[in-house]
């Protein structure tokens, strides 16, 4: 499976600083390996190891759209992003983001994430995106809670890491808040697509 | 922009994002553990710094930034390369 991208959104995928590519069969082997060795229980799979066919079925289960953010110069994989559990009635969906190629969030990766969010809100006609954030990851972007994200609750579900069980927080990104944010404007401008 | 002005721009960006007096931004300070920035805060600093410098920071250099000194180095590299 590979999602097709409408021409009107091409500018979000062809940035000079970060390029987005819909996930397709050519990426499966690398992603399956990276999921196992880099993401483990922190990703949607919760650390489950599966055979190739079952794995492909799972990454598309409930997934409305998924893409990779790549560095344009050397094609290095920066992020794997999924929009899943889309609810067309309420116009909401979940967002999952895995950082793969860099140890810190760089401007090019952040620009790619901004492009992905922009695409999801517009192409899938959503009004809100939710993110499940494990407690150890919460401090990585706690300062964005308030200006950008809204903490909507703490989930009954937990995530198990090598150091025990962690709470899961539910953060929401309302579309209206995204569209008026300076961060969106700055990151899409940095994407360098010439049409943002 | 001179190296001194680049240094001032870094200090101003960090101080603004961390709500600090620029005089209290130490060159050896770690952006996360000493200054108290999170990933989102570091991105905001980088965006603000690019605006102040009028040039893009090199993402390869940015990926290794840990301290204020590293950020000054990233700013100097960007100015030398004349990006954006």
């Amino acid at each position: 499976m590979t999602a097709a991208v409408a021409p009107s959104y091409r500018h979000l995928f062809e940035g000079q600083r970060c390029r987005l590519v819909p996930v397709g069969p050519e990426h499966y082997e690398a992603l399956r390996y990276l999921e196992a060795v880099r993401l483990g229980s922190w990703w949607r799979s919760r650390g489950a190891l599966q055979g190739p066919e079952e794995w492909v079925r799972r990454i598309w289960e409930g997934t409305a759209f998924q893409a990779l953010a790549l560095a344009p110069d050397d094609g290095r994989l920066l992020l794997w992003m999924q929009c899943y559990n889309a609810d067309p009635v309420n116009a909401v969906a979940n967002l999952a983001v895995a950082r793969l190629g860099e140890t810190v969030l760089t401007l090019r990766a952040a620009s790619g994430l901004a492009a992905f969010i922009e695409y999801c809100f517009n192409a899938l006609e959503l009004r809100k995106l939710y993110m499940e954030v494990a407690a150890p990851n919460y401090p990585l972007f706690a300062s964005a809670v308030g200006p950008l994200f809204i903490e909507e609750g703490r989930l009954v579900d937990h995530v198990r890491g090598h150091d025990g069980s962690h709470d899961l927080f539910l953060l929401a990104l309302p579309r209206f808040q995204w569209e008026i944010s300076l961060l969106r404007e700055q990151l899409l401008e940095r994407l360098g697509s010439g049409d943002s | 922009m001179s190296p001194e002005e680049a240094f001032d721009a870094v200090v101003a960006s960090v101080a603004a994002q961390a709500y600090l007096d620029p005089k209290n931004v130490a060159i050896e300070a770690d952006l996360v553990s000493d200054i108290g920035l999170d990933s989102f805060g570091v991105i905001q600093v980088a965006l603000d710094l690019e605006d102040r410098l009028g040039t893009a920071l090199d993402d390869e250099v940015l990926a290794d930034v840990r301290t204020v000194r590293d950020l000054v180095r990233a700013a100097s590299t960007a100015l030398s390369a004349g990006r954006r």
Side-chain angles (χ1 to χ4, degrees), chain A residues 30-44:
Chain A
L31 288 177
R32 184 163 167 261
Y33 171 77
L34 287 167
E35 183 187 89
V37 300
R38 294 285 302 274
L39 305 178
S41 59
W42 301 102
W43 186 237
R44 286 180 64 199

Side-chain angles (χ1 to χ4, degrees), chain A residues 103-176:
Chain A
T103 53
V104 298
L105 185 62
T106 56
L107 278 182
R108 63 183 172 191
S111 296
L113 176 56
F116 185 80
I117 290 171
E118 185 77 4
Y119 176 81
C120 290
F121 273 135
N122 288 285
L124 304 178
E125 299 181 347
L126 301 172
R127 64 175 184 83
K128 194 184 277 188
L129 282 168
Y130 289 105
M131 277 202 312
E132 295 180 7
V133 181
N137 288 337
Y138 195 102
L140 296 175
F141 51 94
S143 67
V145 179
L148 200 57
F149 298 104
I150 297 167
E151 186 183 316
E152 292 212 350
R154 194 176 293 205
L155 301 175
V156 176
D157 194 14
H158 286 72
V159 61
R160 291 197 65 80
H162 60 85
D163 53 348
S165 183
H166 301 287
D167 285 348
L168 275 174
F169 293 88
L170 186 65
L171 302 184
L173 175 60
R175 180 172 179 163
F176 75 89

Side-chain angles (χ1 to χ4, degrees), chain B residues 60-71:
Chain B
E60 296 293 338
V61 178
L62 208 52
D64 292 325
V65 165
R66 299 290 178 278
T67 66
V68 175
R69 184 187 297 281
D70 295 338
L71 204 50

Side-chain angles (χ1 to χ4, degrees), chain A residues 17-31:
Chain A
R17 199 163 191 173
C18 185
R19 198 159 53 86
L20 298 192
V21 179
V23 169
E26 67 273 27
H27 307 120
Y28 291 165
E29 190 177 340
L31 288 177

